[in-house]
Amino acid sequence: MADFKAEDHRLTNPAEPRPRDYTGWEDQHRESPTSYGEQGQQLIPDSRSTSGVVSFLSSAEREGRWQLPRRFRALAVMGNVELDLRAAEIGYGLSVIEAVAVFGNIEITISPDITVVCDGDSLLGTFVLKYDGRANPAAASRDRVVRVTGTAYASAVTIHVKGPDEKLLDRIGRTLGFGEP
């Protein structure tokens, strides 16, 4: 307590001049530039930091409306991570998802209108990209690209490209030959 000085911990007036070597919180945490879409509106902020989800002996799930950052990490250690990007806001340009699974499972579901690039490795496991249903890689737009990288160590990382979930009766009808093929 001998080193404690009251003047070191006082509130400062923003109007006061700062010392030359002062770096305050505002100076260290400035917002980075943002991405802009075709219409010039802000879509997804570019950030230097990476956000993500971790599952350790548990399960983590993201679905519905949420914003996919430019860099996203998913880590599953003896657990399960499920990411549903069909309703997520994905900005124009490249978004990177780093998926690392150790004795676990990571499932990523992406809508067919987004281009998917898969660069994953596996060791005693699987790292696979599947186009389900009537999803076609040629129909994807090149404006938005999701690149999935990472590693599966004795586990599975699966990327499903598929549209919205069909109703049960529609699937049964299509299987029996009623409705659209």
Side-chain angles (χ1 to χ4, degrees), residues 168-181:
L168 180 62
L169 293 176
D170 292 339
R171 278 190 282 162
I172 292 172
R174 194 166 29 95
T175 303
L176 296 175
F178 303 113
E180 295 180 8

Side-chain angles (χ1 to χ4, degrees), residues 55-56 75-79 100-106 151-157:
S55 173
F56 181 75
L75 173 64
V77 179
M78 292 187 280
V100 177
V102 181
F103 297 108
N105 181 36
I106 297 177
T151 309
Y153 298 103
S155 55
V157 175

Side-chain angles (χ1 to χ4, degrees), residues 51-60 72-81 83 97-102 104-106 151 153:
S51 64
V53 63
V54 176
S55 173
F56 181 75
L57 293 172
S58 61
S59 179
F72 187 85
R73 286 187 178 159
L75 173 64
V77 179
M78 292 187 280
N80 184 42
V81 173
L83 300 174
I97 298 175
E98 183 181 353
V100 177
V102 181
N105 181 36
I106 297 177
T151 309
Y153 298 103

Side-chain angles (χ1 to χ4, degrees), residues 110-131:
I110 302 175
S111 70
D113 61 334
I114 296 172
T115 302
V116 180
V117 178
C118 183
D119 295 329
D121 299 319
S122 64
L123 177 68
L124 300 174
T126 61
F127 202 107
V128 70
L129 171 64
K130 294 181 180 180
Y131 286 90

